[in-house]
Structures are given as structure tokens and as C-alpha cells.
Amino acid sequence: MDVFIIGITGTIGRLLARELLAKGDTVHGLVRRDEQRTDLATQGIHAVVGDLTDLSVTELADAFGNADAVVFTAGSNGGSAQTTKAIDGDGVTRAIEATRHAGIQRLALVSVLPESWRERDLDDEVEYYFTVKKQADVALSRSDLDWLILRPSLLTEDPGVGTVSLGPAEFHGQIPRADVAATLAELLHEPHVNRQILELNTGTTPIQDAVKANARASDGRAHVEQGDARSPGKQ
């Protein structure tokens, strides 16, 4: 596959690029500085320099080139309302329009579990962040693209363990970013996981099996290979 990553310099973006390269995929991305492009070039990744908040839809579409899929992993992480709107809101909208303009069908978005941080007393900017993330999910889910929305639970820097719990609804816990990236790489390579919102948490199901369990057969029903009764939510 040829994959373009918006947010490739973020932790999940970098880890995803590594996973895809290991699979033999071609990886491109968007960076804001020339030194970032130079650094990625040493890893075999071609990057385009530009600011997501400044690029037009046409310019962003041109940056995608001949990609088979676009992945949006950028995020403000609950920063200022202005930054949140520019990246998590307008940035996603622009990515949807640019993906369509480029003639690319597949767009995957890394979002957030609605329950995240609900045990805390959240300020207005964080509440706004969740509102904008929800609006972005709705916008993508209503598009005519071959979309995928992945909602991981609380992200950690722990080493990946290779097992997860993945499905339409999951409890909010925590999960290493490495396992999020590995799951996303598998999802991109599974054509029968499409136009779905999937939530991701720690679990005991191997990532490949969890992805296969969420694949749909041609009739739209969940596809489970014969003899494999495992469920992504079974722990």
C-alpha cells in the first residue's frame, strides 16, 4: 500500500509509519519543517512540507499524490480552543475534502473515546476538544468515503503488548500508543473493515485476530473465520 499520514511526526504517526514500512508499504506524510522532512527521508519516508491549517484543499490533495489511503493522526490534545478547531475540526474537514478531491477512497481517523477523562473535572477548553472531536467523527461518518474511525482509550508510552480489545463499543481504560499504531496498520490492510467506528482498549486478543473479528463479509455481517470463535471483546 501507499499510505499518506497527516500527523506523521506525532508519536502514533511515527509508530504507524514504522509498522507500515515493516509490511513493505510506501509511506508519505505532512511535516511543518524542512529538518523533519530530512529526518524522515533517512527512514525511507517522503514528506511534504506544509501547515495543515494553511494548505488549501487542492494543495493538500496534491500532497497526497497516488496514495491508496490517508490516515489522520494529528491532534491538539485538548489545547487552546483555537488550535483544537484548526486541527481537530477544520483540519479533518479539509482532509475529507482533499481525499475526495484526490480521488482516494480510504480515510482513517484516529479519534478519542467519548468517556475519556470523564473522571476528571474538565475545563471549558477540554470540553470543547471533545465536542470538536465528535463533530469530526460525524462529518467523516456522513461522507461518501471508505472511512474508518478508531477511538483508542487513554494513551500511554508503555511498550506494546500485541493484544487488544477492539469492537464497536469498549470500556475506557488505557492502551500503549504502540498497540494503537499496530492495530491501525492491520486495519488499513483489512479491506473488509470499512465505514465502521471501532473502539480500542487493552485486552487479550492478538491484534490480527481482533481485526479479523471485526471484518465484514459481503453481506455486511461480521465475519469470523470458521473454527475461530474469539471475539475482540472477550478477555
Side-chain angles (χ1 to χ4, degrees):
M1 293 182 66
D2 188 322
V3 181
F4 191 96
I5 303 173
I6 300 173
I8 196 169
T9 58
T11 305
I12 290 179
R14 291 198 309 269
L15 291 169
L16 175 60
R18 188 182 308 167
E19 292 281 347
L20 294 173
L21 289 172
K23 290 179 177 294
D25 296 327
T26 299
V27 180
H28 304 273
L30 181 68
V31 299
R32 290 198 284 181
R33 299 190 300 275
D34 281 319
E35 57 267 29
Q36 293 172 318
R37 177 171 60 181
T38 301
D39 178 60
L40 289 174
T42 65
Q43 304 171 47
I45 299 171
H46 174 70
V48 176
V49 177
D51 191 323
L52 176 64
T53 63
D54 292 332
L55 292 174
S56 69
V57 168
T58 301
E59 290 170 333
L60 187 57
D62 289 343
F64 293 162
N66 296 317
D68 299 305
V70 175
V71 182
F72 195 105
T73 67
S76 65
N77 296 319
S80 70
Q82 181 180 3
T83 302
T84 293
K85 183 178 186 301
I87 298 176
D88 301 285
D90 296 341
V92 173
T93 300
R94 190 174 296 111
I96 293 170
E97 295 174 357
T99 301
R100 185 185 295 112
H101 186 77
I104 301 168
Q105 288 298 310
R106 187 75 153 157
L107 175 57
L109 171 66
V110 178
S111 186
V112 63
L113 271 171
E115 297 87 357
S116 297
W117 300 349
R118 290 313 188 197
E119 72 279 7
R120 309 179 191 182
D121 184 15
L122 304 181
D123 60 30
D124 290 343
E125 287 186 339
V126 177
E127 287 288 0
Y128 180 71
Y129 166 78
F130 281 105
T131 298
V132 172
K133 297 293 280 188
K134 182 67 171 184
Q135 291 170 342
D137 287 358
V138 171
L140 181 54
S141 69
R142 291 179 177 174
S143 76
D144 58 356
L145 297 173
D146 180 17
W147 55 267
L148 170 69
I149 297 171
L150 184 64
R151 294 174 173 170
S153 54
L154 180 65
L155 302 172
T156 74
E157 301 295 339
D158 298 332
V161 297
T163 59
V164 298
S165 186
L166 176 70
E170 294 292 333
F171 288 108
H172 175 242
Q174 59 183 26
I175 188 167
R177 285 178 170 86
D179 284 333
V180 176
T183 302
L184 187 51
E186 290 296 328
L187 287 166
L188 289 170
H189 278 266
E190 177 46 75
H192 294 107
V193 175
N194 57 356
R195 299 182 68 81
Q196 291 173 252
I197 297 176
L198 294 175
E199 297 185 345
L200 182 65
N201 195 21
T202 52
T204 59
T205 304
I207 289 173
Q208 287 186 341
D209 293 339
V211 169
K212 287 180 180 178
N214 283 279
R216 291 171 170 170
S218 57
D219 60 4
R221 293 181 297 178
H223 170 70
V224 179
E225 293 184 359
Q226 187 175 3
D228 184 0
R230 280 176 293 194
S231 159
K234 187 176 182 180
Q235 299 185 20

PDB file of all heavy atoms in Angstrom, residues 20-54:
ATOM      1  N   LEU A  20       4.044   0.245   9.027  1.00  0.00           N
ATOM      2  CA  LEU A  20       3.743   0.113   7.608  1.00  0.00           C
ATOM      3  C   LEU A  20       4.996  -0.188   6.791  1.00  0.00           C
ATOM      4  O   LEU A  20       4.962  -0.999   5.861  1.00  0.00           O
ATOM      5  CB  LEU A  20       3.068   1.386   7.107  1.00  0.00           C
ATOM      6  CG  LEU A  20       1.675   1.672   7.685  1.00  0.00           C
ATOM      7  CD1 LEU A  20       1.190   3.049   7.242  1.00  0.00           C
ATOM      8  CD2 LEU A  20       0.672   0.602   7.271  1.00  0.00           C
ATOM      9  N   LEU A  21       6.088   0.465   7.131  1.00  0.00           N
ATOM     10  CA  LEU A  21       7.345   0.185   6.431  1.00  0.00           C
ATOM     11  C   LEU A  21       7.764  -1.267   6.611  1.00  0.00           C
ATOM     12  O   LEU A  21       8.264  -1.905   5.676  1.00  0.00           O
ATOM     13  CB  LEU A  21       8.447   1.121   6.930  1.00  0.00           C
ATOM     14  CG  LEU A  21       8.333   2.593   6.521  1.00  0.00           C
ATOM     15  CD1 LEU A  21       9.371   3.428   7.255  1.00  0.00           C
ATOM     16  CD2 LEU A  21       8.499   2.749   5.005  1.00  0.00           C
ATOM     17  N   ALA A  22       7.539  -1.802   7.807  1.00  0.00           N
ATOM     18  CA  ALA A  22       7.884  -3.194   8.080  1.00  0.00           C
ATOM     19  C   ALA A  22       7.052  -4.153   7.232  1.00  0.00           C
ATOM     20  O   ALA A  22       7.465  -5.281   6.955  1.00  0.00           O
ATOM     21  CB  ALA A  22       7.690  -3.508   9.558  1.00  0.00           C
ATOM     22  N   LYS A  23       5.860  -3.706   6.822  1.00  0.00           N
ATOM     23  CA  LYS A  23       4.996  -4.517   5.965  1.00  0.00           C
ATOM     24  C   LYS A  23       5.345  -4.364   4.488  1.00  0.00           C
ATOM     25  O   LYS A  23       4.731  -5.001   3.625  1.00  0.00           O
ATOM     26  CB  LYS A  23       3.523  -4.114   6.170  1.00  0.00           C
ATOM     27  CG  LYS A  23       2.942  -4.516   7.520  1.00  0.00           C
ATOM     28  CD  LYS A  23       1.496  -4.042   7.635  1.00  0.00           C
ATOM     29  CE  LYS A  23       0.847  -4.489   8.931  1.00  0.00           C
ATOM     30  NZ  LYS A  23       0.687  -5.963   9.000  1.00  0.00           N
ATOM     31  N   GLY A  24       6.302  -3.490   4.196  1.00  0.00           N
ATOM     32  CA  GLY A  24       6.682  -3.255   2.808  1.00  0.00           C
ATOM     33  C   GLY A  24       5.887  -2.161   2.129  1.00  0.00           C
ATOM     34  O   GLY A  24       5.948  -2.011   0.899  1.00  0.00           O
ATOM     35  N   ASP A  25       5.139  -1.375   2.902  1.00  0.00           N
ATOM     36  CA  ASP A  25       4.342  -0.301   2.328  1.00  0.00           C
ATOM     37  C   ASP A  25       5.197   0.930   2.035  1.00  0.00           C
ATOM     38  O   ASP A  25       6.275   1.112   2.598  1.00  0.00           O
ATOM     39  CB  ASP A  25       3.219   0.101   3.290  1.00  0.00           C
ATOM     40  CG  ASP A  25       2.215  -1.018   3.515  1.00  0.00           C
ATOM     41  OD1 ASP A  25       1.988  -1.794   2.573  1.00  0.00           O
ATOM     42  OD2 ASP A  25       1.680  -1.113   4.630  1.00  0.00           O
ATOM     43  N   THR A  26       4.671   1.780   1.179  1.00  0.00           N
ATOM     44  CA  THR A  26       5.269   3.085   0.920  1.00  0.00           C
ATOM     45  C   THR A  26       4.569   4.099   1.822  1.00  0.00           C
ATOM     46  O   THR A  26       3.338   4.118   1.901  1.00  0.00           O
ATOM     47  CB  THR A  26       5.098   3.485  -0.547  1.00  0.00           C
ATOM     48  OG1 THR A  26       5.743   2.524  -1.374  1.00  0.00           O
ATOM     49  CG2 THR A  26       5.697   4.863  -0.816  1.00  0.00           C
ATOM     50  N   VAL A  27       5.358   4.939   2.492  1.00  0.00           N
ATOM     51  CA  VAL A  27       4.785   5.873   3.460  1.00  0.00           C
ATOM     52  C   VAL A  27       5.170   7.300   3.104  1.00  0.00           C
ATOM     53  O   VAL A  27       6.334   7.592   2.812  1.00  0.00           O
ATOM     54  CB  VAL A  27       5.258   5.547   4.896  1.00  0.00           C
ATOM     55  CG1 VAL A  27       4.658   6.524   5.892  1.00  0.00           C
ATOM     56  CG2 VAL A  27       4.889   4.115   5.273  1.00  0.00           C
ATOM     57  N   HIS A  28       4.189   8.176   3.109  1.00  0.00           N
ATOM     58  CA  HIS A  28       4.381   9.610   2.904  1.00  0.00           C
ATOM     59  C   HIS A  28       3.757  10.339   4.087  1.00  0.00           C
ATOM     60  O   HIS A  28       3.000   9.747   4.864  1.00  0.00           O
ATOM     61  CB  HIS A  28       3.694  10.081   1.615  1.00  0.00           C
ATOM     62  CG  HIS A  28       4.118   9.342   0.392  1.00  0.00           C
ATOM     63  ND1 HIS A  28       5.205   9.709  -0.355  1.00  0.00           N
ATOM     64  CD2 HIS A  28       3.595   8.241  -0.203  1.00  0.00           C
ATOM     65  CE1 HIS A  28       5.336   8.878  -1.371  1.00  0.00           C
ATOM     66  NE2 HIS A  28       4.369   7.967  -1.302  1.00  0.00           N
ATOM     67  N   GLY A  29       4.069  11.604   4.216  1.00  0.00           N
ATOM     68  CA  GLY A  29       3.480  12.353   5.323  1.00  0.00           C
ATOM     69  C   GLY A  29       3.610  13.847   5.154  1.00  0.00           C
ATOM     70  O   GLY A  29       4.303  14.332   4.254  1.00  0.00           O
ATOM     71  N   LEU A  30       2.931  14.557   6.041  1.00  0.00           N
ATOM     72  CA  LEU A  30       2.950  16.018   6.045  1.00  0.00           C
ATOM     73  C   LEU A  30       3.728  16.500   7.257  1.00  0.00           C
ATOM     74  O   LEU A  30       3.448  16.075   8.387  1.00  0.00           O
ATOM     75  CB  LEU A  30       1.519  16.560   6.093  1.00  0.00           C
ATOM     76  CG  LEU A  30       1.358  18.086   6.090  1.00  0.00           C
ATOM     77  CD1 LEU A  30       1.786  18.651   4.735  1.00  0.00           C
ATOM     78  CD2 LEU A  30      -0.102  18.468   6.385  1.00  0.00           C
ATOM     79  N   VAL A  31       4.719  17.362   7.037  1.00  0.00           N
ATOM     80  CA  VAL A  31       5.513  17.931   8.129  1.00  0.00           C
ATOM     81  C   VAL A  31       5.522  19.444   7.989  1.00  0.00           C
ATOM     82  O   VAL A  31       5.218  19.989   6.921  1.00  0.00           O
ATOM     83  CB  VAL A  31       6.960  17.389   8.129  1.00  0.00           C
ATOM     84  CG1 VAL A  31       6.970  15.882   8.326  1.00  0.00           C
ATOM     85  CG2 VAL A  31       7.685  17.759   6.835  1.00  0.00           C
ATOM     86  N   ARG A  32       5.891  20.108   9.063  1.00  0.00           N
ATOM     87  CA  ARG A  32       5.884  21.570   9.034  1.00  0.00           C
ATOM     88  C   ARG A  32       7.259  22.185   8.820  1.00  0.00           C
ATOM     89  O   ARG A  32       7.348  23.384   8.530  1.00  0.00           O
ATOM     90  CB  ARG A  32       5.262  22.107  10.330  1.00  0.00           C
ATOM     91  CG  ARG A  32       3.775  21.863  10.421  1.00  0.00           C
ATOM     92  CD  ARG A  32       3.112  22.752  11.452  1.00  0.00           C
ATOM     93  NE  ARG A  32       3.371  22.311  12.807  1.00  0.00           N
ATOM     94  CZ  ARG A  32       2.892  22.912  13.894  1.00  0.00           C
ATOM     95  NH1 ARG A  32       2.149  23.995  13.769  1.00  0.00           N
ATOM     96  NH2 ARG A  32       3.156  22.448  15.089  1.00  0.00           N
ATOM     97  N   ARG A  33       8.317  21.388   8.983  1.00  0.00           N
ATOM     98  CA  ARG A  33       9.663  21.958   8.871  1.00  0.00           C
ATOM     99  C   ARG A  33      10.552  21.098   7.978  1.00  0.00           C
ATOM    100  O   ARG A  33      10.414  19.864   7.924  1.00  0.00           O
ATOM    101  CB  ARG A  33      10.302  22.090  10.255  1.00  0.00           C
ATOM    102  CG  ARG A  33       9.523  23.001  11.203  1.00  0.00           C
ATOM    103  CD  ARG A  33      10.319  23.298  12.460  1.00  0.00           C
ATOM    104  NE  ARG A  33      10.635  22.087  13.192  1.00  0.00           N
ATOM    105  CZ  ARG A  33       9.818  21.500  14.080  1.00  0.00           C
ATOM    106  NH1 ARG A  33       8.625  22.010  14.319  1.00  0.00           N
ATOM    107  NH2 ARG A  33      10.200  20.406  14.712  1.00  0.00           N
ATOM    108  N   ASP A  34      11.508  21.752   7.314  1.00  0.00           N
ATOM    109  CA  ASP A  34      12.421  21.052   6.407  1.00  0.00           C
ATOM    110  C   ASP A  34      13.256  20.009   7.133  1.00  0.00           C
ATOM    111  O   ASP A  34      13.537  18.938   6.581  1.00  0.00           O
ATOM    112  CB  ASP A  34      13.350  22.052   5.713  1.00  0.00           C
ATOM    113  CG  ASP A  34      12.665  22.769   4.556  1.00  0.00           C
ATOM    114  OD1 ASP A  34      11.919  22.106   3.814  1.00  0.00           O
ATOM    115  OD2 ASP A  34      12.885  23.980   4.398  1.00  0.00           O
ATOM    116  N   GLU A  35      13.669  20.309   8.363  1.00  0.00           N
ATOM    117  CA  GLU A  35      14.505  19.341   9.086  1.00  0.00           C
ATOM    118  C   GLU A  35      13.739  18.063   9.398  1.00  0.00           C
ATOM    119  O   GLU A  35      14.324  16.971   9.475  1.00  0.00           O
ATOM    120  CB  GLU A  35      15.069  19.953  10.376  1.00  0.00           C
ATOM    121  CG  GLU A  35      14.035  20.493  11.350  1.00  0.00           C
ATOM    122  CD  GLU A  35      13.752  21.970  11.168  1.00  0.00           C
ATOM    123  OE1 GLU A  35      13.885  22.457  10.026  1.00  0.00           O
ATOM    124  OE2 GLU A  35      13.413  22.633  12.167  1.00  0.00           O
ATOM    125  N   GLN A  36      12.423  18.192   9.564  1.00  0.00           N
ATOM    126  CA  GLN A  36      11.614  16.990   9.767  1.00  0.00           C
ATOM    127  C   GLN A  36      11.565  16.149   8.493  1.00  0.00           C
ATOM    128  O   GLN A  36      11.620  14.921   8.549  1.00  0.00           O
ATOM    129  CB  GLN A  36      10.194  17.379  10.194  1.00  0.00           C
ATOM    130  CG  GLN A  36      10.118  18.035  11.562  1.00  0.00           C
ATOM    131  CD  GLN A  36       8.736  18.571  11.869  1.00  0.00           C
ATOM    132  OE1 GLN A  36       8.082  19.166  11.014  1.00  0.00           O
ATOM    133  NE2 GLN A  36       8.271  18.350  13.094  1.00  0.00           N
ATOM    134  N   ARG A  37      11.463  16.814   7.365  1.00  0.00           N
ATOM    135  CA  ARG A  37      11.470  16.094   6.092  1.00  0.00           C
ATOM    136  C   ARG A  37      12.799  15.373   5.886  1.00  0.00           C
ATOM    137  O   ARG A  37      12.817  14.217   5.452  1.00  0.00           O
ATOM    138  CB  ARG A  37      11.221  17.063   4.933  1.00  0.00           C
ATOM    139  CG  ARG A  37      11.283  16.395   3.566  1.00  0.00           C
ATOM    140  CD  ARG A  37      10.828  17.307   2.457  1.00  0.00           C
ATOM    141  NE  ARG A  37      11.640  18.507   2.357  1.00  0.00           N
ATOM    142  CZ  ARG A  37      11.422  19.471   1.465  1.00  0.00           C
ATOM    143  NH1 ARG A  37      10.398  19.371   0.622  1.00  0.00           N
ATOM    144  NH2 ARG A  37      12.195  20.530   1.416  1.00  0.00           N
ATOM    145  N   THR A  38      13.892  16.034   6.232  1.00  0.00           N
ATOM    146  CA  THR A  38      15.211  15.416   6.091  1.00  0.00           C
ATOM    147  C   THR A  38      15.344  14.202   6.990  1.00  0.00           C
ATOM    148  O   THR A  38      15.870  13.151   6.583  1.00  0.00           O
ATOM    149  CB  THR A  38      16.308  16.441   6.436  1.00  0.00           C
ATOM    150  OG1 THR A  38      16.189  17.570   5.564  1.00  0.00           O
ATOM    151  CG2 THR A  38      17.688  15.829   6.277  1.00  0.00           C
ATOM    152  N   ASP A  39      14.862  14.314   8.210  1.00  0.00           N
ATOM    153  CA  ASP A  39      14.942  13.200   9.153  1.00  0.00           C
ATOM    154  C   ASP A  39      14.132  12.005   8.657  1.00  0.00           C
ATOM    155  O   ASP A  39      14.587  10.860   8.713  1.00  0.00           O
ATOM    156  CB  ASP A  39      14.439  13.646  10.525  1.00  0.00           C
ATOM    157  CG  ASP A  39      14.440  12.520  11.537  1.00  0.00           C
ATOM    158  OD1 ASP A  39      15.520  11.964  11.801  1.00  0.00           O
ATOM    159  OD2 ASP A  39      13.361  12.182  12.057  1.00  0.00           O
ATOM    160  N   LEU A  40      12.931  12.254   8.153  1.00  0.00           N
ATOM    161  CA  LEU A  40      12.094  11.161   7.668  1.00  0.00           C
ATOM    162  C   LEU A  40      12.683  10.525   6.415  1.00  0.00           C
ATOM    163  O   LEU A  40      12.522   9.318   6.193  1.00  0.00           O
ATOM    164  CB  LEU A  40      10.681  11.668   7.389  1.00  0.00           C
ATOM    165  CG  LEU A  40       9.850  12.027   8.626  1.00  0.00           C
ATOM    166  CD1 LEU A  40       8.522  12.655   8.207  1.00  0.00           C
ATOM    167  CD2 LEU A  40       9.595  10.801   9.478  1.00  0.00           C
ATOM    168  N   ALA A  41      13.364  11.325   5.598  1.00  0.00           N
ATOM    169  CA  ALA A  41      13.974  10.781   4.378  1.00  0.00           C
ATOM    170  C   ALA A  41      14.996   9.703   4.705  1.00  0.00           C
ATOM    171  O   ALA A  41      15.149   8.733   3.952  1.00  0.00           O
ATOM    172  CB  ALA A  41      14.614  11.907   3.574  1.00  0.00           C
ATOM    173  N   THR A  42      15.692   9.838   5.833  1.00  0.00           N
ATOM    174  CA  THR A  42      16.677   8.818   6.229  1.00  0.00           C
ATOM    175  C   THR A  42      15.995   7.502   6.589  1.00  0.00           C
ATOM    176  O   THR A  42      16.652   6.462   6.643  1.00  0.00           O
ATOM    177  CB  THR A  42      17.501   9.303   7.436  1.00  0.00           C
ATOM    178  OG1 THR A  42      16.640   9.458   8.581  1.00  0.00           O
ATOM    179  CG2 THR A  42      18.178  10.623   7.137  1.00  0.00           C
ATOM    180  N   GLN A  43      14.690   7.548   6.836  1.00  0.00           N
ATOM    181  CA  GLN A  43      13.931   6.343   7.167  1.00  0.00           C
ATOM    182  C   GLN A  43      13.175   5.792   5.961  1.00  0.00           C
ATOM    183  O   GLN A  43      12.374   4.866   6.078  1.00  0.00           O
ATOM    184  CB  GLN A  43      12.931   6.655   8.290  1.00  0.00           C
ATOM    185  CG  GLN A  43      13.567   7.234   9.535  1.00  0.00           C
ATOM    186  CD  GLN A  43      12.531   7.728  10.530  1.00  0.00           C
ATOM    187  OE1 GLN A  43      11.554   7.028  10.817  1.00  0.00           O
ATOM    188  NE2 GLN A  43      12.723   8.939  11.044  1.00  0.00           N
ATOM    189  N   GLY A  44      13.395   6.407   4.797  1.00  0.00           N
ATOM    190  CA  GLY A  44      12.714   5.960   3.596  1.00  0.00           C
ATOM    191  C   GLY A  44      11.311   6.512   3.444  1.00  0.00           C
ATOM    192  O   GLY A  44      10.488   5.935   2.721  1.00  0.00           O
ATOM    193  N   ILE A  45      11.044   7.636   4.123  1.00  0.00           N
ATOM    194  CA  ILE A  45       9.710   8.246   4.081  1.00  0.00           C
ATOM    195  C   ILE A  45       9.802   9.584   3.365  1.00  0.00           C
ATOM    196  O   ILE A  45      10.606  10.447   3.727  1.00  0.00           O
ATOM    197  CB  ILE A  45       9.164   8.463   5.507  1.00  0.00           C
ATOM    198  CG1 ILE A  45       9.031   7.124   6.244  1.00  0.00           C
ATOM    199  CG2 ILE A  45       7.827   9.187   5.462  1.00  0.00           C
ATOM    200  CD1 ILE A  45       8.698   7.271   7.717  1.00  0.00           C
ATOM    201  N   HIS A  46       8.968   9.755   2.349  1.00  0.00           N
ATOM    202  CA  HIS A  46       8.912  11.040   1.654  1.00  0.00           C
ATOM    203  C   HIS A  46       7.895  11.933   2.343  1.00  0.00           C
ATOM    204  O   HIS A  46       6.753  11.529   2.566  1.00  0.00           O
ATOM    205  CB  HIS A  46       8.508  10.850   0.193  1.00  0.00           C
ATOM    206  CG  HIS A  46       8.285  12.140  -0.526  1.00  0.00           C
ATOM    207  ND1 HIS A  46       9.313  12.996  -0.847  1.00  0.00           N
ATOM    208  CD2 HIS A  46       7.141  12.735  -0.962  1.00  0.00           C
ATOM    209  CE1 HIS A  46       8.825  14.057  -1.467  1.00  0.00           C
ATOM    210  NE2 HIS A  46       7.511  13.926  -1.542  1.00  0.00           N
ATOM    211  N   ALA A  47       8.309  13.132   2.697  1.00  0.00           N
ATOM    212  CA  ALA A  47       7.411  14.057   3.387  1.00  0.00           C
ATOM    213  C   ALA A  47       7.256  15.339   2.587  1.00  0.00           C
ATOM    214  O   ALA A  47       8.179  15.790   1.899  1.00  0.00           O
ATOM    215  CB  ALA A  47       7.942  14.372   4.780  1.00  0.00           C
ATOM    216  N   VAL A  48       6.066  15.922   2.710  1.00  0.00           N
ATOM    217  CA  VAL A  48       5.758  17.205   2.094  1.00  0.00           C
ATOM    218  C   VAL A  48       5.716  18.248   3.199  1.00  0.00           C
ATOM    219  O   VAL A  48       5.107  18.028   4.250  1.00  0.00           O
ATOM    220  CB  VAL A  48       4.406  17.154   1.369  1.00  0.00           C
ATOM    221  CG1 VAL A  48       4.038  18.523   0.815  1.00  0.00           C
ATOM    222  CG2 VAL A  48       4.431  16.106   0.263  1.00  0.00           C
ATOM    223  N   VAL A  49       6.381  19.374   2.974  1.00  0.00           N
ATOM    224  CA  VAL A  49       6.403  20.440   3.971  1.00  0.00           C
ATOM    225  C   VAL A  49       5.201  21.349   3.778  1.00  0.00           C
ATOM    226  O   VAL A  49       4.948  21.852   2.676  1.00  0.00           O
ATOM    227  CB  VAL A  49       7.702  21.265   3.888  1.00  0.00           C
ATOM    228  CG1 VAL A  49       7.678  22.412   4.897  1.00  0.00           C
ATOM    229  CG2 VAL A  49       8.919  20.380   4.135  1.00  0.00           C
ATOM    230  N   GLY A  50       4.452  21.546   4.847  1.00  0.00           N
ATOM    231  CA  GLY A  50       3.286  22.423   4.782  1.00  0.00           C
ATOM    232  C   GLY A  50       2.558  22.395   6.106  1.00  0.00           C
ATOM    233  O   GLY A  50       2.713  21.470   6.899  1.00  0.00           O
ATOM    234  N   ASP A  51       1.762  23.402   6.343  1.00  0.00           N
ATOM    235  CA  ASP A  51       0.983  23.508   7.569  1.00  0.00           C
ATOM    236  C   ASP A  51      -0.464  23.147   7.256  1.00  0.00           C
ATOM    237  O   ASP A  51      -1.095  23.770   6.390  1.00  0.00           O
ATOM    238  CB  ASP A  51       1.066  24.935   8.121  1.00  0.00           C
ATOM    239  CG  ASP A  51       0.504  25.053   9.528  1.00  0.00           C
ATOM    240  OD1 ASP A  51      -0.503  24.378   9.828  1.00  0.00           O
ATOM    241  OD2 ASP A  51       1.053  25.827  10.328  1.00  0.00           O
ATOM    242  N   LEU A  52      -0.986  22.148   7.938  1.00  0.00           N
ATOM    243  CA  LEU A  52      -2.355  21.694   7.702  1.00  0.00           C
ATOM    244  C   LEU A  52      -3.353  22.833   7.789  1.00  0.00           C
ATOM    245  O   LEU A  52      -4.336  22.864   7.047  1.00  0.00           O
ATOM    246  CB  LEU A  52      -2.717  20.601   8.714  1.00  0.00           C
ATOM    247  CG  LEU A  52      -4.141  20.061   8.683  1.00  0.00           C
ATOM    248  CD1 LEU A  52      -4.427  19.364   7.360  1.00  0.00           C
ATOM    249  CD2 LEU A  52      -4.380  19.111   9.859  1.00  0.00           C
ATOM    250  N   THR A  53      -3.096  23.778   8.678  1.00  0.00           N
ATOM    251  CA  THR A  53      -4.046  24.875   8.883  1.00  0.00           C
ATOM    252  C   THR A  53      -3.985  25.926   7.788  1.00  0.00           C
ATOM    253  O   THR A  53      -4.872  26.774   7.691  1.00  0.00           O
ATOM    254  CB  THR A  53      -3.805  25.547  10.245  1.00  0.00           C
ATOM    255  OG1 THR A  53      -2.495  26.129  10.265  1.00  0.00           O
ATOM    256  CG2 THR A  53      -3.913  24.536  11.381  1.00  0.00           C
ATOM    257  N   ASP A  54      -2.933  25.880   6.949  1.00  0.00           N
ATOM    258  CA  ASP A  54      -2.766  26.877   5.888  1.00  0.00           C
ATOM    259  C   ASP A  54      -3.020  26.327   4.493  1.00  0.00           C
ATOM    260  O   ASP A  54      -3.367  27.070   3.575  1.00  0.00           O
ATOM    261  CB  ASP A  54      -1.353  27.475   5.924  1.00  0.00           C
ATOM    262  CG  ASP A  54      -1.106  28.323   7.156  1.00  0.00           C
ATOM    263  OD1 ASP A  54      -2.093  28.881   7.689  1.00  0.00           O
ATOM    264  OD2 ASP A  54       0.054  28.423   7.592  1.00  0.00           O
TER     265      ASP A  54
END
